[in-house]
């Protein structure tokens, strides 16, 4: 038997398949599924597929999340899907499913679902039924998008827009609207309707230039305003605008340029506010402030000029007095006589200057009486015509039955003369001057509008109007200041109108001026009317002076040494016995210890120790029946109120001449002399102080 070797051979076969495309496809599918899942997450959309052949239901991963599950956590079924539909929407959901089966177009719907955690969400679904060739439904392809946040954002936006609309419409003090890039109105709020007068349907689409004044439209201002807003981002101004009814108002305007994301101009927002009342109030406040400053300035100047005039009048009284005394001792034909006469003339001219200063500062002592301005005008008319010249046509318009005023006649003449001269100087080439009087009633509104102290009631008006050069506002604001003048040198002192101002104020009146350059000027003086008869108001109480000399004793009180010596010399020259004192203490000592009678107290009002009125009261208690004559360079409130002399007061204004002094002394001594003699028939017991 032969031995055979058996070999077990393994045969290896290798079969290779190229699956590159499949791998690529699988990777692409994975990528697609991944990308789809990412896209669904971003869009918050889940997809599903209902297969009618086996009843299966497939969900995308994000649909799990929409229902509150993790992907693969549950097996998706139609019943599970339906269980998450909110009860209020289940019937609608079933009805929708039936419609899907017979429908041919995608079906969309919005309803609520309840997530696994109980949270209620709003979803938006789209479904499409796929059918075979016979029209039998094969499956439903659908998407479900969670639009809860979107709806909330939309609702928030709606509420925000509604709030903004209410806010804009509720801003009734502001006109808030929008313009397109060309300037046409595209929105309009209630405030705009109230301020500008146009209803929304009337103005939408119209160009905003309709709100501008015609002169601004002609100058191209509306387009320029938009151009500036576009260039700078915004534009702001205050100016005048026009309402629908044609009335104008002062507006605060703010324009803002609106841009798209790409930087292109979308239009403009415009906010307008009516500030007419505010502007009026600002102008009124400014006017009041200016008037207050003017009043304070005038008061300060008045105080200064009053003080200057007081000291100056003492010097002038001495100069005039000694000049006149010197002239009495000189021969008229000598050169020295003429020299001293010129000194005296200069002193008197200076005295007139101080009287004007006192008139302005309301410190001039006056003795008012009941008078009619028409009567004063009639008397002074011829003098006024000579003063103003033949090249000026003067017209007088006197009101019949003009009311009376209470005023110093000399002051009334000063007012007329100064206003007429001022008018003449404003018409260097001639013109027309009109002087007019009238009865007027001034109410509270007039004084409020003119910002002066209220004094309503009947007034007499004196108006002086010229056709001259007129004045600008800057000049008008200063015309009543002392020494302010627009005239050339040697044509005026600058005191004429300030004198008028002081006289009018001293008599509780009011003066106003109306003037424009080239349009002439009108001054109106208003003085309180008095319903008292002229004849009944006059008191004929001045005694006739037969002679200026006398033998009585005069107690002279004057703190200015030169003036005291001069007054003493004048009185002694005319026969009087003079006892002089420089202050109140010296005067009281003399009154107490002088053994003979003292007939007259001649005292300055401003003296060391006490004022003249107080001193007179003390001396009258020592020497009952003594006559008193006051003298002063200006008034204080001792014997006068705002310059108006108290009744039964004897007064001589400085500067005075020797003749003025002795005449006034004689007049006071001779008044009621029999009564004085009766009171002094028995010697008076002198009292110690």
């Amino acid at each position: 038997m032969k031995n055979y070797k058996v070999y077990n051979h393994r045969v290896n076969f290798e079969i290779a398949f190229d699956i590159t495309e499949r791998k690529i496809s699988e990777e692409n599918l994975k990528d697609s599924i991944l990308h789809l899942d990412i896209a669904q997450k971003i869009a918050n959309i889940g997809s599903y597929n209902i297969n009618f052949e086996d009843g299966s239901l497939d969900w995308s991963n994000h649909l799990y999340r929409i229902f509150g599950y993790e992907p693969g956590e549950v097996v998706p079924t139609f019943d599970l899907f339906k269980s998450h539909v909110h009860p209020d929407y289940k019937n609608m959901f079933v009805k929708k499913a039936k419609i899907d089966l017979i429908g041919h177009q995608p079906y969309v719907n919005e309803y609520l679902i309840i997530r696994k955690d109980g949270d209620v969400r709003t979803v938006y679904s789209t479904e499409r039924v796929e059918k075979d060739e016979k029209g039998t439904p094969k499956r439903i392809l659908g998407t479900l998008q969670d639009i809860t946040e979107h709806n909330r954002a939309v609702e928030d936006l709606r509420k925000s827009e509604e709030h903004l609309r209410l806010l804009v419409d509720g801003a009734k003090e502001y006109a808030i609207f929008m313009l397109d890039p060309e300037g046409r109105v595209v929105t309009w709020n209630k405030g705009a309707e109230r301020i500008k007068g146009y209803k929304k349907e009337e103005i939408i689409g119209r160009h905003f230039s309709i709100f501008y004044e015609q002169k601004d439209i002609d100058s191209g201002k509306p387009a320029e305003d938009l151009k500036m807003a576009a260039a700078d981002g915004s534009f702001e101004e205050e100016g005048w605008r026009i309402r629908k009814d044609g009335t104008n108002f002062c507006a605060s305007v703010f324009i803002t340029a609106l841009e798209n994301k790409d930087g292109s101009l979308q239009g403009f927002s415009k906010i307008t506010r009516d500030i007419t009342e505010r502007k009026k109030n600002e102008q009124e406040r400014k006017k009041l402030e200016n008037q207050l400053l003017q009043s304070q300035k005038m008061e300060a100047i008045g105080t200064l000029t009053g003080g200057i005039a007081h000291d100056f009048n003492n010097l002038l009284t001495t100069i005039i007095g000694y000049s006149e005394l010197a002239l009495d001792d000189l021969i008229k034909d000598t050169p020295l006589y003429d020299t001293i006469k010129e000194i005296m003339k200069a002193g008197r001219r200076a005295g007139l200057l101080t009287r004007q200063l006192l008139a302005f500062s309301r410190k001039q002592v006056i003795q008012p009486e009941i008078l009619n301005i028409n009567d004063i005008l009639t008397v002074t008319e011829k003098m006024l015509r000579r003063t103003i010249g033949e090249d000026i046509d003067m017209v007088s318009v006197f009101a019949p039955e003009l009311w009376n005023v209470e005023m110093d006649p000399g002051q009334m003449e000063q007012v007329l003369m100064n206003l007429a001269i001022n008018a003449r100087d404003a018409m260097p080439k001639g013109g027309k001057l009109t002087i007019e009087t009238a009865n007027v009633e001034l109410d509270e509104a007039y004084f409020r509008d003119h910002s002066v102290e209220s004094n309503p009631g009947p007034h007499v008006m004196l108006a002086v109007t010229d056709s001259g050069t007129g004045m600008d506002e800057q000049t008008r604001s200063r015309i009543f200041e002392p020494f302010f003048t627009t005239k050339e040198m040697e044509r005026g002192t600058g005191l004429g109108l300030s004198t008028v101002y002081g006289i009018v104020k001293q008599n509780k009146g009011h003066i106003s001026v109306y003037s424009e350059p080239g349009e002439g000027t009108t001054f109106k003086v208003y003085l309180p009317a008095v319903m008292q008869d002229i004849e009944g108001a006059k008191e004929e109480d001045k005694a006739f002076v037969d002679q200026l000399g006398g033998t009585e004793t005069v107690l002279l009180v004057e703190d200015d040494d030169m003036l005291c010596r001069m007054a003493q010399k004048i009185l002694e020259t005319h026969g009087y016995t003079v006892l002089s004192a420089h202050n109140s203490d010296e005067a009281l000592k003399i009154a107490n210890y002088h053994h003979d009678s003292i007939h007259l107290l001649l005292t300055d009002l401003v003296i060391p120790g006490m004022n003249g009125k107080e001193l007179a009261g003390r001396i009258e208690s020592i020497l009952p029946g003594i006559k008193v004559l006051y003298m002063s360079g200006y008034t204080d409130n001792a014997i006068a109120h705002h310059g108006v002399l108290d009744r039964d007061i004897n007064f001589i204004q400085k500067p005075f001449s020797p003749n003025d002094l002795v005449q006034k002394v004689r007049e006071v001594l001779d008044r009621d002399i029999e009564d004085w003699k009766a009171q002094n028939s028995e010697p008076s017991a002198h009292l110690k102080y």
Side-chain angles (χ1 to χ4, degrees):
M1 180 174 189
K2 290 182 180 180
N3 294 324
Y4 291 92
K5 294 182 179 179
V6 179
Y7 295 92
N8 185 9
H9 293 282
R10 179 180 294 174
V11 180
N12 295 323
F13 293 94
E14 290 185 5
I15 301 175
F17 295 96
D18 188 353
I19 60 172
T20 305
E21 293 297 327
R22 191 191 76 187
K23 286 293 184 181
I24 293 173
S25 297
E26 288 176 355
E27 291 298 325
N28 288 341
L29 180 60
K30 288 180 181 180
D31 289 343
S32 297
I33 293 172
L34 179 60
H35 292 157
L36 178 62
D37 189 51
I38 294 172
Q40 288 183 348
K41 281 183 180 180
I42 295 173
N44 211 8
I45 297 175
S47 61
Y48 55 90
N49 179 0
I50 303 175
N51 194 323
F52 292 135
E53 293 180 356
D54 56 11
S56 62
L57 176 62
D58 292 328
W59 285 354
S60 67
N61 286 339
H62 195 66
L63 194 57
Y64 281 100
R65 299 185 183 99
I66 290 176
F67 285 122
Y69 300 104
E70 290 297 324
E73 182 180 344
V74 293
V75 177
T77 64
F78 184 75
D79 288 337
L80 180 63
F81 193 120
K82 189 169 65 173
S83 70
H84 283 284
V85 177
H86 194 281
D88 294 344
Y89 290 86
K90 284 191 182 297
N91 291 335
M92 178 277 299
F93 184 79
V94 174
K95 182 180 179 182
K96 173 189 71 70
K98 292 179 180 179
I99 293 174
D100 283 348
L101 295 175
I102 62 175
H104 299 284
Q105 298 297 329
Y107 183 81
V108 298
N109 197 21
E110 185 177 318
Y111 55 94
L112 299 179
I113 65 169
I114 302 175
R115 286 165 51 95
K116 172 187 173 183
D117 58 7
D119 187 21
V120 178
R121 312 288 289 181
T122 303
V123 295
Y124 179 81
S125 67
T126 61
E127 295 180 345
R128 181 171 60 85
V129 178
E130 285 191 357
K131 300 179 180 180
D132 59 14
E133 294 82 0
K134 297 179 181 181
T136 302
K138 292 177 59 179
R139 60 177 175 268
I140 294 177
L141 301 175
T143 60
L144 197 70
Q145 182 179 14
D146 187 342
I147 61 172
T148 306
E149 300 304 326
H150 173 268
N151 281 7
R152 286 176 181 171
V154 170
E155 180 62 16
D156 289 344
L157 179 61
R158 186 195 66 78
K159 289 181 179 179
S160 178
E161 289 176 344
E162 179 65 12
H163 291 161
L164 181 60
R165 184 189 67 78
L166 292 174
L167 179 64
V168 171
D169 278 344
K172 296 181 180 180
E173 296 299 317
Y174 296 87
I176 304 173
F177 53 99
M178 292 180 63
L179 309 174
D180 65 14
E182 285 72 39
R184 291 183 290 268
V185 179
V186 295
T187 65
W188 196 248
N189 79 325
K190 295 291 184 182
E193 181 177 327
R194 187 189 68 83
I195 292 174
K196 297 180 180 290
Y198 293 93
K199 293 186 179 298
K200 186 175 182 179
E201 56 272 17
E202 293 177 313
I203 199 64
I204 297 297
R206 300 183 71 175
H207 198 272
F208 85 113
S209 60
I210 194 173
F211 310 132
Y212 284 73
E213 293 182 318
Q214 188 59 48
K215 62 182 180 62
D216 291 331
I217 296 175
D218 295 341
S219 66
K221 179 173 173 51
E224 186 63 25
D225 288 353
L226 293 186
K227 184 178 178 181
M228 293 177 66
D232 299 334
S234 63
F235 171 74
E236 185 175 7
E237 73 160 354
E238 293 181 357
W240 290 94
R241 298 293 187 268
I242 301 294
R243 296 187 180 92
K244 178 185 175 182
D245 61 7
T247 60
N248 61 353
F249 66 98
C250 190
S252 172
V253 180
F254 188 79
I255 305 174
T256 302
L258 305 176
E259 295 183 348
N260 295 309
K261 290 183 179 180
D262 60 1
S264 61
L265 183 65
Q266 182 181 353
F268 302 90
S269 68
K270 198 165 184 287
I271 301 175
T272 301
R273 187 181 183 189
D274 185 351
I275 59 170
T276 307
E277 286 302 315
R278 192 191 81 188
K279 278 295 181 184
K280 287 181 179 178
N281 291 337
E282 288 177 355
Q283 292 172 354
E284 183 65 21
R285 185 177 69 252
K286 184 177 180 181
K287 176 183 175 183
L288 290 175
E289 287 174 352
N290 289 338
Q291 289 174 339
L292 176 61
L293 289 174
Q294 181 73 359
S295 175
Q296 291 173 335
K297 179 173 63 176
M298 300 291 272
E299 195 66 31
I301 296 173
T303 301
L304 175 64
T305 55
I308 292 173
H310 169 256
D311 293 334
F312 200 44
N313 275 333
N314 281 342
L315 294 172
L316 290 175
T317 303
T318 303
I319 293 171
I320 294 171
Y322 277 117
S323 297
E324 190 169 318
L325 290 176
L327 290 176
D328 290 340
D329 294 335
L330 291 173
I331 300 174
K332 290 186 177 181
D333 295 333
T334 63
L336 183 59
Y337 183 93
D338 293 335
T339 301
I340 295 177
K341 190 174 182 180
E342 290 300 318
I343 293 174
M344 187 176 67
K345 286 181 180 179
R348 287 176 175 171
R349 286 182 60 189
L352 293 175
L353 185 65
T354 58
R355 285 183 66 84
Q356 288 180 302
L357 288 172
L358 288 170
F360 164 75
S361 60
R362 285 167 275 172
K363 295 182 182 297
Q364 180 184 20
V365 178
I366 58 173
Q367 293 180 293
E369 60 184 63
I370 306 300
L371 57 86
N372 191 287
I373 294 179
N374 283 350
D375 295 339
I376 302 294
L377 285 169
T378 301
V379 172
T380 58
E381 189 172 7
K382 289 184 179 180
M383 180 179 65
L384 288 176
R385 290 185 184 278
R386 289 195 301 270
T387 301
I388 63 176
E390 296 180 354
D391 57 344
I392 294 176
D393 179 22
M394 179 175 164
V395 178
S396 299
V397 183
F398 298 162
E401 300 181 1
L402 188 69
W403 295 328
N404 296 327
V405 298
E406 187 173 13
M407 189 174 182
D408 188 308
Q411 283 193 317
M412 189 70 252
E413 292 174 0
Q414 277 186 284
V415 169
L416 286 169
M417 184 62 69
N418 282 317
L419 289 178
I421 291 174
N422 188 75
R424 178 201 66 189
D425 293 341
M427 299 181 288
K429 297 181 180 179
K432 184 177 181 180
L433 172 64
T434 303
I435 300 177
E436 179 184 2
T437 59
N439 296 324
V440 296
E441 286 281 349
L442 299 183
D443 57 14
E444 290 283 0
Y446 173 86
F447 292 96
R448 184 172 59 251
D449 292 342
H450 289 77
S451 303
V452 294
E453 185 178 354
S454 178
N455 185 24
H459 282 68
V460 176
M461 182 199 73
L462 168 67
V464 178
T465 303
D466 65 68
S467 59
T469 55
M471 295 176 283
D472 57 23
E473 183 178 356
Q474 184 177 3
T475 302
R476 287 199 307 272
S477 68
R478 299 190 61 192
I479 55 173
F480 295 123
E481 294 180 18
F483 309 113
F484 173 77
T485 180
T486 58
K487 303 170 186 177
E488 60 270 21
M489 291 291 291
E490 306 300 330
R491 285 295 304 274
T493 62
L495 286 172
L497 291 178
S498 63
T499 300
V500 172
Y501 175 88
I503 290 173
V504 172
K505 290 296 182 182
Q506 190 173 29
N507 287 275
K508 300 179 182 179
H510 168 59
I511 183 170
S512 61
V513 57
Y514 306 86
S515 185
E516 294 292 338
E519 299 296 328
T521 301
T522 296
F523 285 94
K524 289 186 177 181
V525 174
Y526 297 93
L527 296 170
V530 293
M531 303 308 170
Q532 186 176 352
D533 185 65
I534 294 177
E535 294 301 323
K538 288 184 178 180
E539 296 181 3
E540 301 294 340
D541 60 349
K542 291 187 178 181
F544 179 78
V545 181
D546 293 324
Q547 58 180 358
L548 298 182
T551 59
E552 293 89 345
T553 299
V554 177
L555 173 55
L556 171 63
V557 186
E558 170 60 62
D559 63 313
D560 186 289
D561 187 57
M562 286 192 300
L563 181 54
C564 185
R565 290 198 306 270
M566 185 204 73
Q568 182 172 353
K569 182 177 181 179
I570 292 171
L571 293 174
E572 288 177 343
T573 301
H574 286 79
Y576 296 99
T577 300
V578 179
L579 308 172
S580 63
H582 291 87
N583 54 57
S584 57
D585 288 343
E586 292 180 8
L588 288 170
K589 287 179 181 179
I590 293 172
N592 273 287
Y593 295 111
H594 185 69
H595 298 293
D596 295 328
S597 299
I598 301 177
H599 305 86
L600 175 69
L601 170 65
L602 173 59
T603 179
D604 192 6
L605 278 172
V606 183
I607 55 176
M610 61 183 71
N611 66 44
K613 183 67 178 296
E614 293 170 338
L615 175 63
R618 293 284 297 275
I619 290 181
E620 284 175 332
S621 68
I622 300 171
L623 304 173
I626 189 173
K627 298 294 183 69
V628 180
L629 173 59
Y630 298 103
M631 57 182 174
S632 181
Y634 79 115
T635 182
D636 65 4
N637 288 329
I639 63 167
H641 300 283
H642 304 292
V644 181
L645 198 65
D646 290 346
R647 294 187 182 278
D648 302 323
I649 291 293
N650 300 312
F651 178 81
I652 183 170
Q653 175 82 51
K654 297 176 184 178
F656 49 76
S657 68
N659 189 68
D660 294 334
L661 177 61
V662 293
Q663 182 172 333
K664 191 68 178 180
V665 167
R666 188 71 263 159
E667 177 186 315
V668 173
L669 286 171
D670 287 347
R671 185 178 298 134
D672 300 328
I673 192 167
E674 294 301 325
D675 180 58
W676 184 89
K677 288 180 179 178
Q679 293 183 33
N680 289 271
S681 58
E682 298 293 334
S684 300
H686 291 192
L687 304 178
K688 305 297 181 184
Y689 79 103

